[in-house]
Amino acid sequence: MENWYYIPVAIANSWFEKKAQIVSLWVGEEYWHVNLTINKGSSSSGLEHRFSSGWAAFARDNSLQKSDVCIFELINKNQHEIKVTIFRQSEI
């Protein structure tokens, strides 16, 4: 599993400010603090948003595999909280 996760531009632009910040990823009653970083990229907006520090712990603790599908749902924009629902390949 990668130590970072790119966020699609359309989602990042509507959910987040254009600055680095810490977000909380919730799975059930547990949460992980993950850094959201912004870098100059090749996208049409010129920016790339990604989860970096903290993503590896989130992926490890949730036993994420490359074939898993994660659904991200913004639950509190002001507090930067995101609910994550994980679908395992065996469940799809």
Side-chain angles (χ1 to χ4, degrees):
M1 208 27 69
E2 301 288 341
N3 289 331
W4 44 264
Y5 176 81
Y6 282 105
I7 303 161
V9 173
I11 292 171
N13 287 341
S14 65
W15 285 10
F16 306 114
E17 299 170 34
K18 292 185 170 138
K19 65 179 184 177
Q21 54 198 281
I22 297 174
V23 300
S24 298
L25 300 179
W26 287 84
V27 176
E29 296 297 318
E30 295 185 66
Y31 66 92
W32 291 257
H33 292 298
V34 177
N35 289 338
L36 173 72
T37 59
I38 301 174
N39 301 308
K40 290 187 178 187
S42 58
S43 68
S44 60
S45 72
L47 299 174
E48 290 179 341
H49 297 73
R50 65 181 177 177
F51 295 135
S52 57
S53 299
W55 176 257
F58 173 83
R60 180 191 64 242
D61 292 350
N62 287 285
S63 303
L64 288 184
Q65 301 297 314
K66 289 186 179 197
S67 60
D68 292 339
V69 175
C70 294
I71 304 297
F72 297 91
E73 178 184 353
L74 183 63
I75 56 175
N76 187 330
K77 187 171 184 170
N78 294 330
Q79 297 297 317
H80 311 291
E81 294 179 324
I82 299 170
K83 175 184 172 185
V84 183
T85 303
I86 302 168
F87 294 94
R88 308 288 177 193
Q89 179 62 33
S90 61
E91 298 172 352
I92 298 175

